[in-house]
Amino acid sequence: MTDLIDGNAAADVVVPSVDAAPDSQTVGWRHRHLLDVDELSTADLDLVMRTTDAMREVLARPIAKVPALRGRNVTILFYEASTRTRVSFEVAARNLSADVTNIAAQTSSVSKGESLVDTIRTVEALGARMLVMRHAVSGAPYLAAEVFGGSVLNGGDGWHAHPTQALLDLYTMRSRLSGGSVAGRKIVILGDVLHSRVARSNIWALTAAGADLWLCGPTTLLRGFEAWAGRGAAGGRRFHVTADVDRALRDADVVMALRIQRERMSSGLLPSLREYAARYGLTAARLALAQPGALVMHPGPMNEGVEIAPEVAAGAQSVITDQVTNGVAVRMAMLYLLAGVSAAGAAP
């Protein structure tokens, strides 16, 4: 991945007219699937951001709908429970006038032992042309992309990746930070980094965008990231890994808290949720170490009182609801861009 220097990079990127069908115009997008952000170039990222701007304009209309994907079938196949991501994709697809099919693995033939490959082939035979997929196993969307004739959008796979979350996080930061750029800004991801697909995708997106990225949490939840930080991510750009929460938060421009799950205690990685909250919870006192007006983010769902204090989550610096709204716009942008790519001649 090449570097996205600032919000004005790749100014020559042509943004499609999102009111028209994507295949009726030249759209500078070459990828057939969205499996993670590590495969996206500077121009790709900038096109996503600018197309999201156009989708935000659509969402601001009295009728927040365009006919761009009329007649196209978008199938949402989730093997894990979800509210934000699943509903966000469904709203995004309907706003583009697509036909939407929702499949929950628990109520499908998967519960009777049907394999992932057989399920993918079945939904394709039933007319699916775009597949939004979430799976508990890392890499499952990559397998789906090998057998599916249309486009696969990864809605989250295991601990590996959550590309649209990283894109909406980047968009939210760019839209709320002065100058419209994260380049040189200190951005902290705080919490259970080890088990976070959100953190992994954000590492690629934020280093590509030139951020001064810091990962912070208990040492048991940072294992392996020190080595990655030394190698570097996008463009070989390095980032910081520390268990010192005060050092991480000092002068931060953005702080993103990650969800802590109870099973981390049973596996011996954390002594208790109470101790985690006391040592690493994002409280008002800890937030005071950051820059005045630093943005507070969370990918959700939140455990208020554990990884983030309720007054911080709902405070004036919180942009968590912006993330949700921007999630619809980003997913509209990705569905639109992918719909403009034919299977033949598209990059993977």
Side-chain angles (χ1 to χ4, degrees):
M1 182 191 285
T2 52
D3 293 344
L4 182 65
I5 301 301
D6 57 42
N8 298 313
D12 57 343
V13 170
V14 177
V15 181
S17 173
V18 298
D19 289 275
D23 53 6
S24 68
Q25 58 193 305
T26 300
V27 178
W29 183 263
R30 64 187 184 90
H31 301 281
R32 180 176 156 200
H33 309 293
L34 179 68
L35 303 177
D36 200 0
V37 294
D38 60 342
E39 62 193 17
L40 303 184
S41 69
T42 298
D44 292 333
L45 285 171
D46 199 64
L47 179 58
V48 173
M49 298 294 105
R50 292 170 184 267
T51 306
T52 302
D53 284 336
M55 294 305 180
R56 281 301 307 255
E57 188 276 324
V58 170
L59 293 176
R61 297 175 186 177
I63 300 177
K65 195 167 188 176
V66 291
L69 299 192
R70 182 174 292 158
R72 296 176 187 261
N73 184 282
V74 175
T75 298
I76 300 174
L77 175 62
F78 272 40
Y79 286 77
E80 287 186 317
S82 169
T83 300
R84 276 174 191 76
T85 304
R86 180 182 58 78
V87 173
S88 181
F89 268 114
E90 182 173 353
V91 171
R94 294 192 189 281
N95 286 349
L96 295 169
S97 300
D99 298 322
V100 181
T101 302
N102 246 309
I103 302 174
Q106 299 93 324
T107 57
S108 71
S109 295
V110 172
S111 63
K112 300 179 181 179
E114 182 176 70
S115 72
L116 172 61
V117 169
D118 285 342
T119 298
I120 299 303
R121 289 173 174 160
T122 298
V123 299
E124 184 171 4
L126 291 171
R129 293 298 173 263
M130 304 186 77
L131 179 64
V132 180
M133 180 179 169
R134 171 170 286 190
H135 204 286
V137 176
S138 297
Y142 289 78
L143 174 60
E146 290 181 4
V147 299
F148 186 61
S151 295
V152 176
L153 289 86
N154 183 0
D157 63 319
W159 302 348
H160 172 246
H162 198 345
T164 57
Q165 182 68 46
L167 292 171
L168 75 88
D169 290 340
L170 177 59
Y171 184 84
T172 302
M173 293 178 206
R174 284 172 43 132
S175 64
R176 293 297 295 263
L177 290 170
S178 61
S181 172
V182 301
R185 299 295 194 122
K186 184 176 183 180
I187 298 173
V188 180
I189 298 178
L190 174 65
D192 186 1
V193 178
L194 180 63
H195 303 95
S196 176
R197 54 193 170 208
V198 172
R200 285 175 172 82
S201 288
N202 263 298
I203 287 170
W204 288 109
L206 293 172
T207 54
D212 176 20
L213 179 61
W214 290 66
L215 308 181
C216 181
T219 55
T220 53
L221 301 181
L222 295 172
R223 290 189 305 219
F225 284 87
E226 298 91 341
W228 187 0
R231 294 193 308 270
R237 181 172 283 112
R238 296 185 179 186
F239 52 95
H240 308 273
V241 178
T242 181
D244 186 336
V245 66
D246 289 352
R247 179 172 175 240
L249 293 178
R250 189 168 291 111
D251 297 325
D253 295 291
V254 180
V255 184
M256 181 188 301
L258 299 174
R259 182 166 64 100
I260 293 294
Q261 301 176 41
R262 293 182 184 277
E263 54 265 36
R264 306 302 170 231
M265 292 186 299
S266 60
S267 60
L269 295 175
L270 291 174
S272 70
L273 292 180
R274 178 178 295 177
E275 181 167 338
Y276 178 87
R279 296 186 61 188
Y280 289 97
L282 184 57
T283 62
R286 287 203 172 102
L287 184 59
L289 294 169
Q291 291 281 2
L295 304 182
V296 172
M297 304 179 71
H298 194 299
M302 291 184 289
N303 292 311
E304 293 187 6
V306 181
E307 71 266 10
I308 188 168
E311 64 271 19
V312 174
Q317 295 170 238
S318 173
V319 295
I320 295 170
T321 55
D322 281 16
Q323 289 176 269
V324 177
T325 301
N326 291 336
V328 174
V330 163
R331 287 163 181 138
M332 288 173 69
M334 288 313 312
L335 288 167
Y336 186 94
L337 292 171
L338 289 170
V341 178
S342 61

